[in-house]
Amino acid sequence: MNYSIIRYVVGWVLKFEAGFLCLPALVGLFYLEQDSLFYLLTAAACLAGGFFLTLKKPVNRMLYPREGFIIVALSWIVLSLFGAIPFVLTGDIPSYIDALFETISGFTTTGASILTNVEALSYTNLFWRSFTHWIGGMGVFVFILAITPLLGGSTMTLMKAESPGPSVDKLVPRLKDTSKILYMIYIALTLVEALLLLCFGMSPFDAFCTSFGTTGTGGFGIKNDSMAGYAPAIQNIVTIFMILSGINYSVYFLLLRRKLKQALCFEELWWYLGFIAATGGIIFFNIRHLFSTSGEVLRHTFFQIGSIITTTGFATTDFNLWPQLSKNCLILLMFIGACAGSTGGGIKVSRILILLKSIKKELTSIAHPQVVTKVRLNGHSVAHEVVRSTNVFMTVYLIILFISVLLVSIEGYDFTTGFTAVVAALNNIGPGLELVGPTGNFAFFSVFSKLILMLDMLAGRLELIPMLVLLTPSCWKKH
């Protein structure tokens, strides 16, 4: 184990977090709030810690998978531990455990909240709360690698450990250029949405906070009713950008390169849109009696579907009151999630496709033993390592899901509340059903259950394996 490289990279993460914390401090200065001081103090602490950890450069700067997974998992925990401090210092969230829950939920783009009155928060805290979504959406290491080479070629390990999906590929030969392209697309989507929201009457503060939550697929609202109080046109814009944010960014890259044919060859894209259309049709007919006009039914249907499948978590209505069929459709979408290579969570559409194609391959092999078949996706053969990692992911996913549900059920809440709370945390969705529905929150859970849900949020955002490696004692031994 190369401990010096772990220390060094975590130090750089703290330095970048110091920079991130300066943005809400500037917002606080603009609104003449004293909370700015606490953000600057936290930023100074992060900067001091970062300089201390990076004071001595590691002799061996090679990064292997084991170190890469541990660095990513440890960095996200450190980010959250420091990011929670301003909430406590300002007094808006006095309990550090609650502040940590809110911060982890922000960075992992989960959107689950312990707050009962969001509008009581200062502008400074509201901005930081939403901005954590934007930082975590594309990934902190993707941002760092876009700014600095850090460790040279070996940093691909960090990218693989942090980026969502069964496999990670470079868009261009140089990793730094790939990171820049991803962030350029990310920033463009954010700015275009913010501009449209401004044009339709949103205030600049609301527009940017909402855009952070949409493109980061986070879902922290700055109003107690989430998005319900905004005009239908604004809700429709958010619906479109939630769905766009759930698409693999490789599709946007190909479109920018004018490779339309290749972009349209992404099977995952069509299945993703197909899931949205199919569940949209079912839910539309199932809830049409709940609203006065077909336009209203369509708006709420596709907003909630876009919010759940992309794991954003915004809401325009209390879907907890919908018929059981519609709620079951939403639960199904919670598991499916968005596309690989997007900012969305969940199992990912590509993994679902690989699993289905693997089943078909096995059935074909049984029926026709002499026929050699391969799992193909997007017109290419899927490597055996990717199929194997997908199977391992699903096994680990189900084990964590069952254990978490069992542990959370100790408190005695109804099954739907406990089960969907875990599903919402592990898939980085935000709201569940019953007590954790769109009009509820997670404040009533005990400290023990909150810790379980926090681990689930981190595991879900980091695709499970980095957290498991971090918690495996043998991975810390020197060889």
Side-chain angles (χ1 to χ4, degrees):
M1 175 63 69
N2 188 351
Y3 289 105
S4 61
I5 199 69
I6 295 173
R7 165 188 55 77
Y8 185 73
V9 178
V10 171
W12 269 103
V13 170
L14 277 174
K15 287 181 180 179
F16 274 90
E17 184 168 24
F20 296 147
L21 286 162
C22 289
L23 284 176
L26 290 173
V27 171
L29 289 173
F30 179 81
Y31 286 102
L32 302 177
E33 293 178 338
Q34 292 183 346
D35 291 356
S36 292
L37 175 62
F38 299 113
Y39 277 87
L40 291 174
L41 287 172
T42 308
C46 289
L47 194 61
F51 272 118
F52 175 76
L53 292 175
T54 58
L55 199 59
K56 184 180 179 182
K57 291 185 178 181
V59 176
N60 179 8
R61 301 187 65 170
M62 282 302 295
L63 198 63
Y64 298 100
R66 180 177 56 169
E67 285 87 354
F69 284 124
I70 287 175
I71 285 170
V72 168
L74 198 59
S75 295
W76 277 72
I77 292 171
V78 169
L79 270 173
S80 301
L81 290 172
F82 279 87
I85 293 172
F87 288 130
V88 179
L89 294 180
T90 58
D92 277 352
I93 307 179
S95 165
Y96 183 76
I97 292 295
D98 283 347
L100 185 61
F101 184 97
E102 200 78 7
T103 307
I104 289 176
S105 181
F107 278 124
T108 59
T109 72
T110 303
S113 180
I114 50 81
L115 295 170
T116 55
N117 183 12
V118 174
E119 294 175 35
L121 268 64
S122 64
Y123 284 106
T124 314
N125 281 330
L126 281 174
F127 182 88
W128 175 238
R129 189 169 169 265
S130 295
F131 190 54
T132 54
H133 280 336
W134 198 81
I135 297 167
M138 183 56 66
V140 65
F141 281 104
V142 178
F143 180 83
I144 292 174
L145 296 177
I147 303 297
T148 172
L150 195 61
L151 299 171
S154 60
T155 47
M156 186 63 186
T157 306
L158 300 177
M159 189 94 155
K160 287 180 178 179
E162 186 183 54
S163 298
S167 62
V168 179
D169 298 313
K170 297 179 184 178
L171 298 178
V172 290
R174 293 182 62 200
L175 182 59
K176 185 176 181 180
D177 292 335
T178 296
S179 301
K180 284 181 178 178
I181 290 166
L182 288 171
Y183 254 95
M184 283 170 62
I185 297 170
Y186 192 44
I187 291 169
L189 281 173
T190 306
L191 292 178
V192 171
E193 184 190 358
L195 184 61
L196 287 172
L197 293 175
L198 285 169
C199 291
F200 281 87
M202 250 195 180
S203 69
F205 182 83
D206 288 22
F208 277 98
C209 286
T210 302
S211 297
F212 291 152
T214 306
T215 53
T217 62
F220 271 154
I222 55 174
K223 304 292 183 185
N224 289 329
D225 62 0
S226 188
M227 297 297 298
Y230 291 106
I234 287 174
Q235 293 176 359
N236 290 334
I237 290 168
V238 173
T239 300
I240 292 168
F241 277 88
M242 284 192 296
I243 293 171
L244 289 175
S245 297
I247 293 173
N248 192 319
Y249 274 49
S250 296
V251 173
Y252 296 127
F253 173 72
L254 291 171
L255 290 174
L256 288 173
R257 290 291 180 93
R258 298 180 182 178
K259 296 180 179 180
L260 181 62
K261 188 176 180 180
Q262 285 181 252
L264 296 179
C265 283
F266 268 72
E267 281 182 74
E268 185 183 29
L269 171 63
W270 296 111
W271 278 85
Y272 167 70
L273 296 176
F275 284 133
I276 292 173
T279 52
I282 295 169
I283 293 175
F284 175 85
F285 285 105
N286 194 226
I287 67 167
R288 65 187 186 280
H289 63 284
L290 298 177
F291 301 97
S292 55
T293 66
S294 295
E296 196 175 1
V297 179
L298 276 172
R299 174 163 50 85
H300 289 302
T301 295
F302 283 99
F303 187 99
Q304 262 56 238
I305 287 173
S307 179
I308 295 299
I309 195 169
T310 63
T311 70
T312 304
F314 285 137
T316 57
T317 187
D318 186 3
F319 53 77
N320 204 31
L321 303 176
W322 286 4
Q324 193 60 47
L325 175 61
S326 294
K327 290 194 286 188
N328 288 345
C329 285
L330 293 179
I331 291 173
L332 178 64
L333 295 179
M334 286 180 182
F335 285 100
I336 293 171
C339 298
S342 71
T343 57
I347 292 172
K348 304 293 183 302
V349 176
S350 61
R351 283 199 181 96
I352 301 294
L353 291 179
I354 290 171
L355 288 169
L356 292 174
K357 287 172 182 281
S358 296
I359 294 171
K360 182 182 177 181
K361 174 181 175 293
E362 288 303 312
L363 292 175
T364 302
S365 298
I366 293 170
H368 307 283
Q370 72 281 6
V371 176
V372 178
T373 58
K374 292 185 177 181
V375 176
R376 298 179 67 84
L377 189 64
N378 302 326
H380 303 286
S381 295
V382 178
H384 173 71
E385 291 75 16
V386 175
V387 176
R388 180 183 57 80
S389 69
T390 300
N391 293 331
V392 170
F393 175 90
M394 286 306 304
T395 303
V396 174
Y397 177 92
L398 291 173
I399 291 171
I400 292 175
L401 176 67
F402 292 147
I403 291 175
S404 298
V405 170
L406 185 64
L407 292 173
V408 170
S409 68
I410 292 173
E411 292 195 48
Y413 295 109
D414 64 277
F415 175 77
T416 303
T417 294
F419 179 74
T420 58
V422 171
V423 171
L426 188 57
N427 292 309
N428 305 135
I429 296 162
L433 295 173
E434 298 301 337
L435 298 179
V436 292
T439 59
N441 58 66
F442 289 68
F444 61 87
F445 281 114
S446 67
V447 170
F448 174 75
S449 291
K450 285 174 183 173
L451 289 172
I452 297 299
L453 294 172
M454 281 189 267
L455 288 172
D456 285 341
M457 287 189 276
L458 286 166
R461 174 58 184 84
L462 300 178
E463 305 278 277
L464 309 182
I465 304 302
M467 287 298 294
L468 290 182
V469 172
L470 181 68
L471 299 174
T472 303
S474 60
C475 289
W476 289 88
K477 292 180 180 178
K478 287 187 177 182
H479 294 291

